Amino acid sequence: MTPLPRSASTVIIGGGVQGLSAAFNLAEMGQTGIVVIDAGYWQGGASGRNGTLIRPGFASTAWTELFMLTVAEWKTWSKRLGENVMFTQRGYSVVSEKAASAAMLEEATAMQRDLGIRSRMLKSAEISDLLPAINRKRVLAVQHQEEGGVAPHHAALKGLRAYCEHRGVALHYRTKITGIEVTDGRASAVWIGDHRIDAGNILSCAGPDNPDMARLAGVEIDGFGMKIEAMALEPTRPLIKPAIALIDSLAYFHQTSRGEVVGGTEVPERPRMSLRVDVPVMAEMARIYLEMFPQLGPVRILRHWAGQLHASTDYAPLLGEHPARPGLWFSAGWSYGFAGAPAAGRLLAGAIGKGHIDSRMKPFALDRFQTTGPIIEKGIVLA
Amino acid sequence: MSATSVQPTIRWNGKSIAVTEGDSLAAALWRAGVTTFARSRKLHRPLAWTGAHAVGALAAVNGLPNTRLDQTPARAGTVVSMQNCWPGPGFDLLRLMQILPERLLYGGFEHGHLMPSSGLSYRLAERMMAYLAGVADTAPTGWEGAAIPGRDITVDHLIIGGGPEGIRAANAVAAAGLSVALVTRGRTPARFARNAGQEIPVLDPRVDLHKETEAFGGYRDGDLVLAAPVNGTGAAVVFRPGQITLATGRRSMPPVVRGNHLPGVFDAHAGLNLAAEHGVRLGRRVAVIGTGDEVALAARLRDLGHEVVHTGPAAGLDRIEGRARVRAIRVAGRRILCDTLVHAGPWRADPNLGFQLAAEGHYQLLDAALPVRVTRIGAATLAPEPIHIPAQPDKSALICPCMDVTLGELLSHIDAGEHDPEILKRLTSCGMGTCQGWPCWDSMLAVLAARTGTRPEDHARPSHRPPRRAITIAQAAGLAGLVEPDK
Ligand SMILES: Cc1cc2nc3c(=O)[nH]c(=O)nc-3n(C[C@H](O)[C@H](O)[C@H](O)COP(=O)(O)OP(=O)(O)OC[C@H]3O[C@@H](n4cnc5c(N)ncnc54)[C@H](O)[C@@H]3O)c2cc1C
């Protein structure tokens, strides 16, 4: 491994999809001397453990405008990275089982269409066409977003890593940031044990450890770490075409190009930082699959794993410079952070590299709870 | 037998095959001379049941895909068909894949540079890829989608593994007046020991025996252990044990040589299952290799009517030859004609349950000391035997038959400087198929160590995860509500 540098234009903490996307966008803008430091292994964070679902449309305009940008960016990644990230817009269906969520989806659809997204509420015959295997008895309404889809995380991260290495970004995995130095109120360097790296800017993309990174710099950031779990089923020939979110059952899944149905759900647990799995998620997810896609009944579960997130109190991302600690930036609070990485990387690179704060980033400012207030978003699969 | 009675039959790819009472589907097929049960996913190599990997023993049974032929009884009228073929098993165009150079498919179809990179053309390519990768269709729509209610069992002591050691341990607990459950995959306890011709202790009737059941998950430091009947339709069990004993024994590791996936290669468990339990002749000429047990195994196979043409150390094997089945082996430059190879070593204990019960981590699950309530006994306590990697390894040796990962593919990454097992796993998909890393990660670590001049135990294992296909959605759905979330 190459030795750690002593100074950097930007030190990025965390080499998950957020950190690598920011590094890629900064490098593409021409910045040199970028350093990415990650305590774990490449693909070891949530970025290598997620459901890989991507969609443009949500219930709030703030989320929707951010994720429209992200879908537009995803479409360009294979070309810009020089590697196939396998983004496929095979569609994303948000399924409602209750009147309240159906009404919410109707309203969101109108807003999304106004913004130019190809989303619509499916007619009964269309539901059968698109989702022939779904249990119609459980479905009240389906909102379908044609531009949504999936991108396998191993492909996206492979493309990002290859680009960064090629452009001279220094990537150091299994290397942990243990301190952040503050000079005259500004974050000015990071410490890795007794090694110091002087930093023009520091961008924390440390996932569940973002609150710890803030604390290392003597400040606080909203939110808490949480563990969520997912599982993969034994491969079968294609049964489920689009990506699917069950807005009332709090589950999301899709069938990969290897044939595995991959997805997860949420059960209320004591928040905990660990990669261990537990029984309730597996059982609950199986129950949901069986009710929604009865044909999955005899299919076997291959593996079940956990990943960790940094959830903000309104579940919306926290993007931008810390108001109390100039020089320390965050791409944090992500629960849809795989989908959101292309947009976040672009916007943060613009902010750090050119000082331009894009209007699509502003609503997600770290101090929104004291200024504009939390972002109310009802279209996410989280509670 | 009366004149009117006919021998029961099953159907294999449309052909009728006679079965003997008590046969598993694998036994019935092998007895009838069927040697290719399945095809590997990328290169469509012929595969059969080997014992070491489940993938060669998967077929569609009465329309249900991915059914294990070695675990399913051959009932009259059962319809079995080969998966992963197109348009069908009789005329299968996918077999042409075998002529592709292995290198072309390093990383799988998914990573391939052959793929168009975006837009509609990629979407079409992806659908094609998904069709080919999916192996078989899900069960027909008429399937009754009911959850199978799970069971919740509290015991003083849970013994996992029904070999002689497990039986003795269970008997001792029962004799002490405590409640004890014993979980074993076999149709009867101590199947392997029995097939090897050993004396078996009698199981105390007070022991709650769960046979044909796999314990696949340990949670909350062992507060919970999950198990499920291997048929996929029996009730899954949540055990809440006071003490846990892992009496899970050891398995023989497949040799890392060319041809190691070929039909006709068996580990000692599978070979003896067919030869002793089902009275099936494995082949005309049998070679036996091992790390010490090969002599006894060869004697046992001779007793069972086999002609053993070679008995020797596992590390002396250079390659296995054959196209659709073993035809010969090479040992120290000598070519020995044989159609069957049975290996008895190197022996290693399955690390999965122990890892699950012990491992913890924030950046990575790392193995640790077992919780105090968990003990290993018997063969599971013995040190793992080294896996021999030849000085000039053959690139076509398969490391992970489920995902069709060759030694050459692994080396392409190792030689490029990638020495982290978790990353090797992600780059190649090694261990992400049917067997979920056992035994292929042991082989992968042996290759990594040999290539980098390190020891296998110098490298952290990739995370062993539950339930490695031991439970179906219908079984797991029946556990919903049984276990309260940890609050
Ligand atoms: C089961 C699951 C399913 C999901 N499904 C989806 C989905 O379908 N769609 C979607 O958009 N999102 C999904 N997500 C969320 C998504 O995965 C995350 O929001 C996203 O990956 C966050 O990316 P990241 O780079 O910020 O975090 P991570 O990938 O977690 O990266 C953070 C990195 O920071 C490193 N780090 C931490 N502390 C330090 C330190 N002190 N020094 C150096 N490095 C450090 C860690 O090692 C880690 O690699 C899912 C997440 C999970 C767990």
Side-chain angles (χ1 to χ4, degrees), chain A residues 14 16-18 37-40 46-47 49-53 177 205-206 209 213 228 252 334-339:
Chain A
V17 70
Q18 289 290 336
I37 305 288
D38 193 299
S47 302
R49 297 167 182 269
N50 61 78
T52 74
L53 273 62
I177 300 284
C205 303
D209 298 321
M213 296 306 105
I228 59 174
Y252 53 90
W334 281 107
S335 47
Y336 283 63
F338 181 74

PDB file of all heavy atoms in Angstrom, chain A residues 14 16-18 37-40 46-47 49-53 177 205-206 209 213 228 252 334-339, ligand 1:
ATOM      1  N   GLY A  14     -14.561   8.084   4.817  1.00  0.00           N
ATOM      2  CA  GLY A  14     -15.537   7.079   4.394  1.00  0.00           C
ATOM      3  C   GLY A  14     -15.475   6.863   2.899  1.00  0.00           C
ATOM      4  O   GLY A  14     -15.708   7.782   2.120  1.00  0.00           O
ATOM      5  N   GLY A  16     -17.431   4.768   1.134  1.00  0.00           N
ATOM      6  CA  GLY A  16     -18.653   4.145   0.625  1.00  0.00           C
ATOM      7  C   GLY A  16     -19.089   4.875  -0.632  1.00  0.00           C
ATOM      8  O   GLY A  16     -18.323   5.651  -1.219  1.00  0.00           O
ATOM      9  N   VAL A  17     -20.323   4.665  -1.035  1.00  0.00           N
ATOM     10  CA  VAL A  17     -20.774   5.257  -2.290  1.00  0.00           C
ATOM     11  C   VAL A  17     -20.807   6.782  -2.194  1.00  0.00           C
ATOM     12  O   VAL A  17     -20.517   7.488  -3.164  1.00  0.00           O
ATOM     13  CB  VAL A  17     -22.141   4.662  -2.726  1.00  0.00           C
ATOM     14  CG1 VAL A  17     -23.272   5.130  -1.818  1.00  0.00           C
ATOM     15  CG2 VAL A  17     -22.442   4.973  -4.184  1.00  0.00           C
ATOM     16  N   GLN A  18     -21.110   7.309  -0.999  1.00  0.00           N
ATOM     17  CA  GLN A  18     -21.135   8.760  -0.841  1.00  0.00           C
ATOM     18  C   GLN A  18     -19.734   9.355  -0.965  1.00  0.00           C
ATOM     19  O   GLN A  18     -19.520  10.312  -1.714  1.00  0.00           O
ATOM     20  CB  GLN A  18     -21.738   9.130   0.518  1.00  0.00           C
ATOM     21  CG  GLN A  18     -23.237   8.870   0.627  1.00  0.00           C
ATOM     22  CD  GLN A  18     -24.049   9.815  -0.226  1.00  0.00           C
ATOM     23  OE1 GLN A  18     -23.607  10.915  -0.564  1.00  0.00           O
ATOM     24  NE2 GLN A  18     -25.263   9.398  -0.583  1.00  0.00           N
ATOM     25  N   ILE A  37     -10.264   8.158   3.149  1.00  0.00           N
ATOM     26  CA  ILE A  37      -9.824   7.271   4.244  1.00  0.00           C
ATOM     27  C   ILE A  37     -11.029   6.475   4.731  1.00  0.00           C
ATOM     28  O   ILE A  37     -12.079   7.055   5.022  1.00  0.00           O
ATOM     29  CB  ILE A  37      -9.292   8.107   5.443  1.00  0.00           C
ATOM     30  CG1 ILE A  37      -8.189   9.067   4.993  1.00  0.00           C
ATOM     31  CG2 ILE A  37      -8.834   7.194   6.578  1.00  0.00           C
ATOM     32  CD1 ILE A  37      -6.879   8.418   4.661  1.00  0.00           C
ATOM     33  N   ASP A  38     -10.885   5.174   4.812  1.00  0.00           N
ATOM     34  CA  ASP A  38     -12.005   4.345   5.274  1.00  0.00           C
ATOM     35  C   ASP A  38     -11.518   3.320   6.296  1.00  0.00           C
ATOM     36  O   ASP A  38     -10.541   2.619   6.077  1.00  0.00           O
ATOM     37  CB  ASP A  38     -12.663   3.629   4.094  1.00  0.00           C
ATOM     38  CG  ASP A  38     -14.002   3.009   4.475  1.00  0.00           C
ATOM     39  OD1 ASP A  38     -14.032   2.136   5.361  1.00  0.00           O
ATOM     40  OD2 ASP A  38     -15.023   3.423   3.888  1.00  0.00           O
ATOM     41  N   ALA A  39     -12.256   3.221   7.400  1.00  0.00           N
ATOM     42  CA  ALA A  39     -11.864   2.325   8.488  1.00  0.00           C
ATOM     43  C   ALA A  39     -12.112   0.855   8.163  1.00  0.00           C
ATOM     44  O   ALA A  39     -11.492  -0.024   8.741  1.00  0.00           O
ATOM     45  CB  ALA A  39     -12.628   2.701   9.766  1.00  0.00           C
ATOM     46  N   GLY A  40     -13.020   0.595   7.254  1.00  0.00           N
ATOM     47  CA  GLY A  40     -13.364  -0.792   6.935  1.00  0.00           C
ATOM     48  C   GLY A  40     -12.761  -1.221   5.614  1.00  0.00           C
ATOM     49  O   GLY A  40     -11.741  -0.701   5.183  1.00  0.00           O
ATOM     50  N   ALA A  46     -22.641   0.311   4.423  1.00  0.00           N
ATOM     51  CA  ALA A  46     -24.005   0.139   3.916  1.00  0.00           C
ATOM     52  C   ALA A  46     -24.017   0.141   2.391  1.00  0.00           C
ATOM     53  O   ALA A  46     -24.870  -0.491   1.765  1.00  0.00           O
ATOM     54  CB  ALA A  46     -24.902   1.253   4.447  1.00  0.00           C
ATOM     55  N   SER A  47     -23.035   0.819   1.793  1.00  0.00           N
ATOM     56  CA  SER A  47     -22.991   0.905   0.332  1.00  0.00           C
ATOM     57  C   SER A  47     -22.837  -0.449  -0.337  1.00  0.00           C
ATOM     58  O   SER A  47     -23.163  -0.601  -1.503  1.00  0.00           O
ATOM     59  CB  SER A  47     -21.847   1.819  -0.097  1.00  0.00           C
ATOM     60  OG  SER A  47     -22.035   3.089   0.473  1.00  0.00           O
ATOM     61  N   ARG A  49     -24.200  -3.178   1.109  1.00  0.00           N
ATOM     62  CA  ARG A  49     -25.160  -4.044   1.801  1.00  0.00           C
ATOM     63  C   ARG A  49     -26.598  -3.636   1.537  1.00  0.00           C
ATOM     64  O   ARG A  49     -27.515  -4.097   2.222  1.00  0.00           O
ATOM     65  CB  ARG A  49     -24.924  -3.957   3.320  1.00  0.00           C
ATOM     66  CG  ARG A  49     -23.564  -4.448   3.749  1.00  0.00           C
ATOM     67  CD  ARG A  49     -23.259  -4.050   5.193  1.00  0.00           C
ATOM     68  NE  ARG A  49     -21.926  -4.484   5.568  1.00  0.00           N
ATOM     69  CZ  ARG A  49     -21.663  -5.655   6.132  1.00  0.00           C
ATOM     70  NH1 ARG A  49     -22.619  -6.480   6.429  1.00  0.00           N
ATOM     71  NH2 ARG A  49     -20.424  -6.000   6.414  1.00  0.00           N
ATOM     72  N   ASN A  50     -26.825  -2.736   0.576  1.00  0.00           N
ATOM     73  CA  ASN A  50     -28.166  -2.163   0.453  1.00  0.00           C
ATOM     74  C   ASN A  50     -29.008  -2.860  -0.613  1.00  0.00           C
ATOM     75  O   ASN A  50     -28.553  -3.762  -1.304  1.00  0.00           O
ATOM     76  CB  ASN A  50     -28.066  -0.665   0.184  1.00  0.00           C
ATOM     77  CG  ASN A  50     -27.324  -0.383  -1.095  1.00  0.00           C
ATOM     78  OD1 ASN A  50     -27.859  -0.517  -2.184  1.00  0.00           O
ATOM     79  ND2 ASN A  50     -26.050  -0.019  -0.960  1.00  0.00           N
ATOM     80  N   GLY A  51     -30.230  -2.374  -0.733  1.00  0.00           N
ATOM     81  CA  GLY A  51     -31.180  -2.956  -1.675  1.00  0.00           C
ATOM     82  C   GLY A  51     -31.018  -2.463  -3.103  1.00  0.00           C
ATOM     83  O   GLY A  51     -31.662  -2.974  -4.009  1.00  0.00           O
ATOM     84  N   THR A  52     -30.197  -1.442  -3.311  1.00  0.00           N
ATOM     85  CA  THR A  52     -29.828  -0.873  -4.619  1.00  0.00           C
ATOM     86  C   THR A  52     -31.009  -0.267  -5.384  1.00  0.00           C
ATOM     87  O   THR A  52     -30.952  -0.104  -6.587  1.00  0.00           O
ATOM     88  CB  THR A  52     -29.109  -1.891  -5.543  1.00  0.00           C
ATOM     89  OG1 THR A  52     -30.044  -2.843  -6.053  1.00  0.00           O
ATOM     90  CG2 THR A  52     -27.997  -2.619  -4.828  1.00  0.00           C
ATOM     91  N   LEU A  53     -32.085   0.070  -4.680  1.00  0.00           N
ATOM     92  CA  LEU A  53     -33.245   0.648  -5.348  1.00  0.00           C
ATOM     93  C   LEU A  53     -33.053   2.148  -5.571  1.00  0.00           C
ATOM     94  O   LEU A  53     -32.517   2.845  -4.697  1.00  0.00           O
ATOM     95  CB  LEU A  53     -34.514   0.415  -4.515  1.00  0.00           C
ATOM     96  CG  LEU A  53     -35.250  -0.909  -4.757  1.00  0.00           C
ATOM     97  CD1 LEU A  53     -34.373  -2.084  -4.400  1.00  0.00           C
ATOM     98  CD2 LEU A  53     -36.539  -0.959  -3.959  1.00  0.00           C
ATOM     99  N   ILE A 177      -9.923   7.163  10.846  1.00  0.00           N
ATOM    100  CA  ILE A 177      -9.750   8.535  11.332  1.00  0.00           C
ATOM    101  C   ILE A 177     -10.002   8.545  12.835  1.00  0.00           C
ATOM    102  O   ILE A 177     -11.057   8.115  13.296  1.00  0.00           O
ATOM    103  CB  ILE A 177     -10.759   9.489  10.648  1.00  0.00           C
ATOM    104  CG1 ILE A 177     -10.558   9.502   9.124  1.00  0.00           C
ATOM    105  CG2 ILE A 177     -10.689  10.890  11.255  1.00  0.00           C
ATOM    106  CD1 ILE A 177      -9.379  10.288   8.643  1.00  0.00           C
ATOM    107  N   CYS A 205     -18.268  11.344   5.209  1.00  0.00           N
ATOM    108  CA  CYS A 205     -19.251  10.433   4.612  1.00  0.00           C
ATOM    109  C   CYS A 205     -19.130   9.124   5.368  1.00  0.00           C
ATOM    110  O   CYS A 205     -18.962   8.056   4.785  1.00  0.00           O
ATOM    111  CB  CYS A 205     -18.967  10.191   3.138  1.00  0.00           C
ATOM    112  SG  CYS A 205     -18.918  11.672   2.138  1.00  0.00           S
ATOM    113  N   ALA A 206     -19.167   9.219   6.694  1.00  0.00           N
ATOM    114  CA  ALA A 206     -18.815   8.075   7.535  1.00  0.00           C
ATOM    115  C   ALA A 206     -20.025   7.250   7.926  1.00  0.00           C
ATOM    116  O   ALA A 206     -19.972   6.467   8.873  1.00  0.00           O
ATOM    117  CB  ALA A 206     -18.057   8.550   8.767  1.00  0.00           C
ATOM    118  N   ASP A 209     -21.168   6.446  11.529  1.00  0.00           N
ATOM    119  CA  ASP A 209     -20.210   7.114  12.405  1.00  0.00           C
ATOM    120  C   ASP A 209     -20.159   8.626  12.201  1.00  0.00           C
ATOM    121  O   ASP A 209     -19.311   9.296  12.814  1.00  0.00           O
ATOM    122  CB  ASP A 209     -18.818   6.514  12.198  1.00  0.00           C
ATOM    123  CG  ASP A 209     -18.793   5.033  12.561  1.00  0.00           C
ATOM    124  OD1 ASP A 209     -19.446   4.657  13.550  1.00  0.00           O
ATOM    125  OD2 ASP A 209     -18.157   4.242  11.844  1.00  0.00           O
ATOM    126  N   MET A 213     -17.840  11.597  14.010  1.00  0.00           N
ATOM    127  CA  MET A 213     -16.918  12.500  13.303  1.00  0.00           C
ATOM    128  C   MET A 213     -17.181  13.948  13.725  1.00  0.00           C
ATOM    129  O   MET A 213     -16.250  14.722  13.932  1.00  0.00           O
ATOM    130  CB  MET A 213     -17.065  12.353  11.780  1.00  0.00           C
ATOM    131  CG  MET A 213     -16.675  10.986  11.233  1.00  0.00           C
ATOM    132  SD  MET A 213     -15.010  10.436  11.697  1.00  0.00           S
ATOM    133  CE  MET A 213     -15.398   9.228  12.937  1.00  0.00           C
ATOM    134  N   ILE A 228     -30.099  -1.839   9.972  1.00  0.00           N
ATOM    135  CA  ILE A 228     -31.215  -2.462   9.267  1.00  0.00           C
ATOM    136  C   ILE A 228     -30.705  -3.708   8.541  1.00  0.00           C
ATOM    137  O   ILE A 228     -29.507  -3.879   8.329  1.00  0.00           O
ATOM    138  CB  ILE A 228     -31.961  -1.503   8.304  1.00  0.00           C
ATOM    139  CG1 ILE A 228     -31.050  -0.934   7.248  1.00  0.00           C
ATOM    140  CG2 ILE A 228     -32.657  -0.400   9.044  1.00  0.00           C
ATOM    141  CD1 ILE A 228     -31.802  -0.117   6.207  1.00  0.00           C
ATOM    142  N   TYR A 252     -39.068  -3.284   0.937  1.00  0.00           N
ATOM    143  CA  TYR A 252     -38.616  -2.924  -0.402  1.00  0.00           C
ATOM    144  C   TYR A 252     -37.812  -4.088  -0.936  1.00  0.00           C
ATOM    145  O   TYR A 252     -37.118  -4.763  -0.173  1.00  0.00           O
ATOM    146  CB  TYR A 252     -37.749  -1.649  -0.357  1.00  0.00           C
ATOM    147  CG  TYR A 252     -36.628  -1.796   0.631  1.00  0.00           C
ATOM    148  CD1 TYR A 252     -35.396  -2.316   0.248  1.00  0.00           C
ATOM    149  CD2 TYR A 252     -36.832  -1.494   1.978  1.00  0.00           C
ATOM    150  CE1 TYR A 252     -34.386  -2.531   1.178  1.00  0.00           C
ATOM    151  CE2 TYR A 252     -35.836  -1.712   2.901  1.00  0.00           C
ATOM    152  CZ  TYR A 252     -34.618  -2.216   2.502  1.00  0.00           C
ATOM    153  OH  TYR A 252     -33.637  -2.443   3.430  1.00  0.00           O
ATOM    154  N   TRP A 334     -28.224   9.656   5.696  1.00  0.00           N
ATOM    155  CA  TRP A 334     -28.785   8.995   4.515  1.00  0.00           C
ATOM    156  C   TRP A 334     -29.492   7.697   4.850  1.00  0.00           C
ATOM    157  O   TRP A 334     -28.906   6.805   5.455  1.00  0.00           O
ATOM    158  CB  TRP A 334     -27.665   8.664   3.523  1.00  0.00           C
ATOM    159  CG  TRP A 334     -27.207   9.807   2.688  1.00  0.00           C
ATOM    160  CD1 TRP A 334     -26.028  10.474   2.810  1.00  0.00           C
ATOM    161  CD2 TRP A 334     -27.895  10.391   1.592  1.00  0.00           C
ATOM    162  NE1 TRP A 334     -25.943  11.449   1.845  1.00  0.00           N
ATOM    163  CE2 TRP A 334     -27.081  11.425   1.082  1.00  0.00           C
ATOM    164  CE3 TRP A 334     -29.135  10.155   0.980  1.00  0.00           C
ATOM    165  CZ2 TRP A 334     -27.444  12.218  -0.002  1.00  0.00           C
ATOM    166  CZ3 TRP A 334     -29.502  10.940  -0.096  1.00  0.00           C
ATOM    167  CH2 TRP A 334     -28.673  11.963  -0.577  1.00  0.00           C
ATOM    168  N   SER A 335     -30.716   7.577   4.392  1.00  0.00           N
ATOM    169  CA  SER A 335     -31.375   6.278   4.403  1.00  0.00           C
ATOM    170  C   SER A 335     -31.602   5.802   2.962  1.00  0.00           C
ATOM    171  O   SER A 335     -31.803   4.620   2.729  1.00  0.00           O
ATOM    172  CB  SER A 335     -32.691   6.348   5.168  1.00  0.00           C
ATOM    173  OG  SER A 335     -33.428   7.467   4.755  1.00  0.00           O
ATOM    174  N   TYR A 336     -31.590   6.725   2.024  1.00  0.00           N
ATOM    175  CA  TYR A 336     -31.675   6.379   0.598  1.00  0.00           C
ATOM    176  C   TYR A 336     -30.377   6.800  -0.084  1.00  0.00           C
ATOM    177  O   TYR A 336     -30.369   7.336  -1.184  1.00  0.00           O
ATOM    178  CB  TYR A 336     -32.877   7.066  -0.068  1.00  0.00           C
ATOM    179  CG  TYR A 336     -34.194   6.410   0.238  1.00  0.00           C
ATOM    180  CD1 TYR A 336     -34.686   6.364   1.544  1.00  0.00           C
ATOM    181  CD2 TYR A 336     -34.958   5.825  -0.761  1.00  0.00           C
ATOM    182  CE1 TYR A 336     -35.888   5.756   1.835  1.00  0.00           C
ATOM    183  CE2 TYR A 336     -36.175   5.209  -0.478  1.00  0.00           C
ATOM    184  CZ  TYR A 336     -36.633   5.185   0.826  1.00  0.00           C
ATOM    185  OH  TYR A 336     -37.829   4.576   1.112  1.00  0.00           O
ATOM    186  N   GLY A 337     -29.303   6.539   0.635  1.00  0.00           N
ATOM    187  CA  GLY A 337     -28.027   7.110   0.234  1.00  0.00           C
ATOM    188  C   GLY A 337     -27.335   6.406  -0.903  1.00  0.00           C
ATOM    189  O   GLY A 337     -26.375   6.928  -1.460  1.00  0.00           O
ATOM    190  N   PHE A 338     -27.785   5.206  -1.254  1.00  0.00           N
ATOM    191  CA  PHE A 338     -27.213   4.586  -2.445  1.00  0.00           C
ATOM    192  C   PHE A 338     -27.776   5.304  -3.667  1.00  0.00           C
ATOM    193  O   PHE A 338     -27.028   5.820  -4.492  1.00  0.00           O
ATOM    194  CB  PHE A 338     -27.525   3.088  -2.487  1.00  0.00           C
ATOM    195  CG  PHE A 338     -26.937   2.421  -3.698  1.00  0.00           C
ATOM    196  CD1 PHE A 338     -25.579   2.177  -3.765  1.00  0.00           C
ATOM    197  CD2 PHE A 338     -27.738   2.071  -4.779  1.00  0.00           C
ATOM    198  CE1 PHE A 338     -25.012   1.602  -4.900  1.00  0.00           C
ATOM    199  CE2 PHE A 338     -27.180   1.482  -5.907  1.00  0.00           C
ATOM    200  CZ  PHE A 338     -25.820   1.249  -5.968  1.00  0.00           C
ATOM    201  N   ALA A 339     -29.108   5.392  -3.720  1.00  0.00           N
ATOM    202  CA  ALA A 339     -29.754   6.103  -4.826  1.00  0.00           C
ATOM    203  C   ALA A 339     -29.254   7.540  -4.900  1.00  0.00           C
ATOM    204  O   ALA A 339     -28.995   8.070  -5.981  1.00  0.00           O
ATOM    205  CB  ALA A 339     -31.262   6.078  -4.638  1.00  0.00           C
TER     206      ALA A 339
HETATM  207  C1  LIG C   1     -30.049  -3.279   4.306  1.00  0.00           C
HETATM  208  C2  LIG C   1     -29.984  -1.936   3.653  1.00  0.00           C
HETATM  209  C3  LIG C   1     -30.786  -1.673   2.552  1.00  0.00           C
HETATM  210  C4  LIG C   1     -30.728  -0.429   1.917  1.00  0.00           C
HETATM  211  N1  LIG C   1     -31.446  -0.223   0.781  1.00  0.00           N
HETATM  212  C5  LIG C   1     -31.283   0.928   0.082  1.00  0.00           C
HETATM  213  C6  LIG C   1     -31.887   1.119  -1.176  1.00  0.00           C
HETATM  214  O1  LIG C   1     -32.574   0.229  -1.680  1.00  0.00           O
HETATM  215  N2  LIG C   1     -31.687   2.285  -1.829  1.00  0.00           N
HETATM  216  C7  LIG C   1     -30.910   3.272  -1.294  1.00  0.00           C
HETATM  217  O2  LIG C   1     -30.767   4.300  -1.915  1.00  0.00           O
HETATM  218  N3  LIG C   1     -30.311   3.119  -0.105  1.00  0.00           N
HETATM  219  C8  LIG C   1     -30.470   1.970   0.593  1.00  0.00           C
HETATM  220  N4  LIG C   1     -29.840   1.810   1.795  1.00  0.00           N
HETATM  221  C9  LIG C   1     -29.094   2.916   2.364  1.00  0.00           C
HETATM  222  C10 LIG C   1     -27.750   3.096   1.714  1.00  0.00           C
HETATM  223  O3  LIG C   1     -27.050   1.878   1.693  1.00  0.00           O
HETATM  224  C11 LIG C   1     -26.922   4.102   2.492  1.00  0.00           C
HETATM  225  O4  LIG C   1     -27.665   5.268   2.693  1.00  0.00           O
HETATM  226  C12 LIG C   1     -25.664   4.466   1.736  1.00  0.00           C
HETATM  227  O5  LIG C   1     -24.925   3.324   1.379  1.00  0.00           O
HETATM  228  C13 LIG C   1     -24.806   5.380   2.541  1.00  0.00           C
HETATM  229  O6  LIG C   1     -23.565   5.518   1.923  1.00  0.00           O
HETATM  230  P1  LIG C   1     -22.330   6.061   2.722  1.00  0.00           P
HETATM  231  O7  LIG C   1     -21.201   6.064   1.789  1.00  0.00           O
HETATM  232  O8  LIG C   1     -22.728   7.308   3.404  1.00  0.00           O
HETATM  233  O9  LIG C   1     -22.160   5.004   3.912  1.00  0.00           O
HETATM  234  P2  LIG C   1     -21.312   3.655   4.051  1.00  0.00           P
HETATM  235  O10 LIG C   1     -21.312   2.853   2.841  1.00  0.00           O
HETATM  236  O11 LIG C   1     -21.782   3.017   5.303  1.00  0.00           O
HETATM  237  O12 LIG C   1     -19.861   4.191   4.220  1.00  0.00           O
HETATM  238  C14 LIG C   1     -19.399   4.770   5.390  1.00  0.00           C
HETATM  239  C15 LIG C   1     -17.966   4.427   5.496  1.00  0.00           C
HETATM  240  O13 LIG C   1     -17.367   5.216   6.502  1.00  0.00           O
HETATM  241  C16 LIG C   1     -16.344   4.468   7.067  1.00  0.00           C
HETATM  242  N5  LIG C   1     -16.004   5.020   8.371  1.00  0.00           N
HETATM  243  C17 LIG C   1     -16.758   5.079   9.483  1.00  0.00           C
HETATM  244  N6  LIG C   1     -16.058   5.622  10.487  1.00  0.00           N
HETATM  245  C18 LIG C   1     -14.840   5.927  10.009  1.00  0.00           C
HETATM  246  C19 LIG C   1     -13.646   6.482  10.568  1.00  0.00           C
HETATM  247  N7  LIG C   1     -13.589   6.857  11.850  1.00  0.00           N
HETATM  248  N8  LIG C   1     -12.576   6.613   9.780  1.00  0.00           N
HETATM  249  C20 LIG C   1     -12.598   6.236   8.469  1.00  0.00           C
HETATM  250  N9  LIG C   1     -13.701   5.701   7.908  1.00  0.00           N
HETATM  251  C21 LIG C   1     -14.792   5.536   8.654  1.00  0.00           C
HETATM  252  C22 LIG C   1     -16.914   3.078   7.146  1.00  0.00           C
HETATM  253  O14 LIG C   1     -15.887   2.111   7.180  1.00  0.00           O
HETATM  254  C23 LIG C   1     -17.741   2.980   5.887  1.00  0.00           C
HETATM  255  O15 LIG C   1     -17.112   2.304   4.836  1.00  0.00           O
HETATM  256  C24 LIG C   1     -29.888   0.579   2.442  1.00  0.00           C
HETATM  257  C25 LIG C   1     -29.084   0.304   3.541  1.00  0.00           C
HETATM  258  C26 LIG C   1     -29.108  -0.945   4.144  1.00  0.00           C
HETATM  259  C27 LIG C   1     -28.210  -1.227   5.302  1.00  0.00           C
END
